[in-house]
Amino acid sequence: VVANTCTTALTGGATAVTLPTVLTSALTTAGNTAGDTAFSLNVTGCDATAATRGIHYTLTPSGYDATNNSLLDNTGTANNVGVEILEGATPIAFAGAPRQTANVTLDGAGAGSVSLAARYQATGAATAGTVTSALNWTLVYN
């Protein structure tokens, strides 16, 4: 039995990641990407045994794009665009299912992070409008 001692938060305690405004001309063909925005999921206050047991995040989109199920769905008004999540520089291939990050490396104070990024990805010629997606995360202790 282990006490749950880790605290988790999005970069800087934010509640959302805001991607920049991009022109539709950057997203004219399926597979085009734009608006790369780095963020991280951070843990603090972990006990000394957490690193040896291993901890990671499970990432679960609230929905998957109907054309490309590795993208988060867009519930906004723009068409033919989803949101791609990357771990480091590698796109996460959700393929319609939650995905696990690499184990979090903790420092001597029990803190660590997973570096992620979000960006728009066209599934066809994107139309102007808003893009809204949600990604849930769960901190998993081994």
Side-chain angles (χ1 to χ4, degrees):
V1 177
V2 182
N4 179 2
T5 60
C6 293
T7 301
T8 185
L10 189 59
T11 305
T15 57
V17 175
T18 302
L19 277 63
T21 300
V22 299
L23 298 173
T24 55
S25 60
L27 300 168
T28 58
T29 305
N32 289 155
T33 61
D36 291 44
T37 304
F39 66 98
S40 62
L41 294 175
N42 305 307
V43 294
T44 56
C46 296
D47 67 31
T49 65
T52 59
R53 292 191 323 268
I55 57 175
H56 65 270
Y57 286 95
T58 297
L59 307 176
T60 307
S62 63
Y64 301 94
D65 183 85
T67 304
N68 179 344
N69 68 1
S70 282
L71 303 178
L72 282 62
D73 70 334
N74 170 26
T75 58
T77 59
N79 291 311
N80 299 321
V81 62
V83 175
E84 182 175 50
I85 303 296
L86 299 90
E87 184 171 1
T90 305
I92 296 175
F94 286 103
R99 289 291 174 244
Q100 174 180 314
T101 66
N103 277 340
V104 178
T105 301
L106 299 176
D107 63 18
S113 65
V114 173
S115 296
L116 301 169
R119 65 184 176 193
Y120 305 109
Q121 184 177 112
T123 58
T127 64
T130 59
V131 176
T132 303
S133 296
L135 177 66
N136 301 300
W137 72 83
T138 305
L139 184 62
V140 180
Y141 297 81
N142 293 326

